[in-house]
Amino acid sequence: MSSLRLAAAHVAPVFLAARETTHKAVHLIEQASRNQANLVVFPESFISAFPVWSALRPPTENHDLFRRMAHESIDADGEEMQAVRATAKKCNVVVSIGFSERVRPGRATLFNSNMIISNRGDVLIHHRKLVPTFFEKLTWSPGDGHGLRVAETEWGKIGALICGENTNPLARYALMAQGEQVHISTWPAIWPTRVPSPSALGESNPQSGATATANYDNVAANRIRAAAHCFEAKCFGVLSAGVLGGDAIDIIASGSPYLRQVMEQSQRAATMFLDPTGAPISGFTMAEDATRQPTDFLQATEGILYADVSLEDCIEGKQYHDVVGGYQRMDIFDLNVNRTRQQPVRFTQVVNVETGGNSPPRNNTRSS
């Protein structure tokens, strides 16, 4: 099918509450389905938190939050993801959802993961972020190339990268080379790289060394990276950013008016759509009476942003630059991607051909 309706959920999790956040995701998938969405996208680490506290508080003050994060991260095949898969099947929609993944060999080893689920409830792609970015390294471990895949769906070829991975040209090229037509990029609600000085906030604060230097412009940076990918791949872009909820601010600030102000005044990320030239697409939200409200992006408040697109629009630009086809020199460049899922240990055992089992052979040597 060449036409599809995109739905990007610009929403906050129920902070550090996996079950409640999953219930919210199920409700939003059902809502988007009623509005005829074919693809529903959730932000980075939607289930059940983005660890922004690591950017704002010293590691020595974050043990309790990490413990809660470990408890409220989910197994890729656990009951929360089973509920999302069942809802995708029931609603006949493709779902992309970010989650903090817990693995069984080490229950405190976490991954920043994303899953693309088919409209039949099958897992099409299970991706772990290749490299946690900046302060994320205090929470998440590096992933692997297993998820560098493009999902073949009834509504086109869909791929996804998480946040800073959209800065990695080789990861992006790996998806382009598989014919990606819709590229999902997922982002946190805020991305503080600097905190304003107390004087800039009008507050006294004992933390010395704070600076009033301008913070990272994550709205522009996210759009630039996603637009570059859309232009190069000649694909549509879905930028799905999270929302920082009041419950998250309350817990992270933990009685600190200074940290509360920092989070409340941090620039909010934006959810939007891009066309195959990298230009913004005018989207819309849906009122309760099913009327469309034209909206180019969502930033300050929660909601679902929709856009109708035609995959036919991915063709024309490849006349000029098909960077994985006629505009590539495959005799010069050679990219190899290791898709092996990394494991903490690989066991091997030697079968005794004499006994057909694992027991040691008989000692046939006679003593003199």
Side-chain angles (χ1 to χ4, degrees), residues 273-285:
F273 303 112
L274 303 174
D275 73 14
T277 72
I281 296 175
S282 295
F284 56 91
T285 58

Side-chain angles (χ1 to χ4, degrees), residues 44-325:
E44 177 179 12
S45 192
F46 179 64
I47 304 175
S48 58
F50 180 82
V52 70
W53 57 81
S54 292
L56 303 173
R57 298 166 29 150
T60 52
E61 295 181 4
N62 289 331
H63 301 306
D64 288 343
L65 283 170
F66 180 81
R67 186 181 300 110
R68 291 181 62 177
M69 184 73 163
H71 282 303
E72 297 300 329
S73 295
I74 65 173
D75 298 315
D77 58 354
E79 62 181 33
E80 296 87 358
M81 200 56 69
Q82 293 292 345
V84 174
R85 292 174 60 183
T87 307
K89 181 178 181 179
K90 179 185 73 173
C91 295
N92 191 36
V93 297
V94 176
V95 174
S96 171
I97 189 163
F99 63 106
S100 181
E101 180 186 356
R102 181 178 58 196
V103 292
R104 290 185 174 86
R107 301 303 275 173
T109 292
L110 310 178
F111 294 97
N112 184 350
S113 298
N114 193 86
M115 194 169 281
I116 297 181
I117 300 163
S118 80
N119 58 316
R120 294 176 174 82
D122 300 319
V123 175
L124 300 178
I125 302 174
H126 173 198
H127 176 56
R128 294 171 176 168
K129 188 174 183 180
L130 300 175
V131 182
T133 309
F134 190 27
F135 56 82
E136 294 173 6
K137 293 179 175 69
L138 295 171
T139 299
W140 288 310
S141 299
D144 53 41
H146 182 75
L148 289 177
R149 305 167 188 268
V150 166
E152 298 266 1
T153 78
E154 294 182 23
W155 297 285
K157 298 179 179 181
I158 302 169
L161 291 175
I162 304 167
C163 193
E165 291 184 312
N166 293 278
T167 316
N168 187 324
L170 300 183
R172 296 195 299 104
Y173 183 86
L175 299 188
M176 293 182 207
Q178 297 170 71
E180 188 182 37
Q181 294 170 298
V182 177
H183 179 73
I184 297 165
S185 57
T186 62
W187 311 91
I190 62 173
W191 182 254
T193 55
R194 299 179 185 272
V195 294
S197 65
S199 59
L201 291 175
E203 287 285 335
S204 60
N205 175 48
Q207 295 185 17
S208 60
T211 174
T213 305
N215 211 329
Y216 187 85
D217 186 345
N218 64 318
V219 173
N222 296 354
R223 185 183 65 248
I224 289 167
R225 286 177 282 185
H229 185 82
C230 290
F231 181 84
E232 292 168 4
K234 314 306 179 192
C235 70
F236 287 95
V238 182
L239 286 78
S240 178
V243 174
L244 187 66
D247 53 351
I249 293 174
D250 290 342
I251 292 171
I252 296 170
S254 187
S256 168
Y258 172 70
L259 287 182
R260 176 176 293 277
Q261 281 190 290
V262 169
M263 285 184 280
E264 289 177 345
Q265 296 186 20
S266 290
Q267 183 188 40
R268 297 299 191 264
T271 290
M272 65 182 76
F273 303 112
L274 303 174
D275 73 14
T277 72
I281 296 175
S282 295
F284 56 91
T285 58
M286 298 287 279
E288 291 185 3
D289 62 358
T291 58
R292 297 188 185 189
Q293 308 293 323
T295 310
D296 290 337
F297 60 90
L298 294 175
Q299 185 176 19
T301 58
E302 290 190 281
I304 301 177
L305 187 67
Y306 299 89
D308 293 325
V309 302
S310 172
L311 299 183
E312 292 293 317
D313 294 339
C314 298
I315 296 174
E316 179 179 329
K318 292 191 175 184
Q319 293 182 97
Y320 322 129
H321 311 106
D322 187 350
V323 299
V324 296

Side-chain angles (χ1 to χ4, degrees), residues 9-24:
H10 186 72
V11 288
V14 181
F15 190 66
L16 289 173
R19 182 168 296 181
E20 291 82 355
T21 302
T22 301
H23 292 162
K24 184 172 183 176

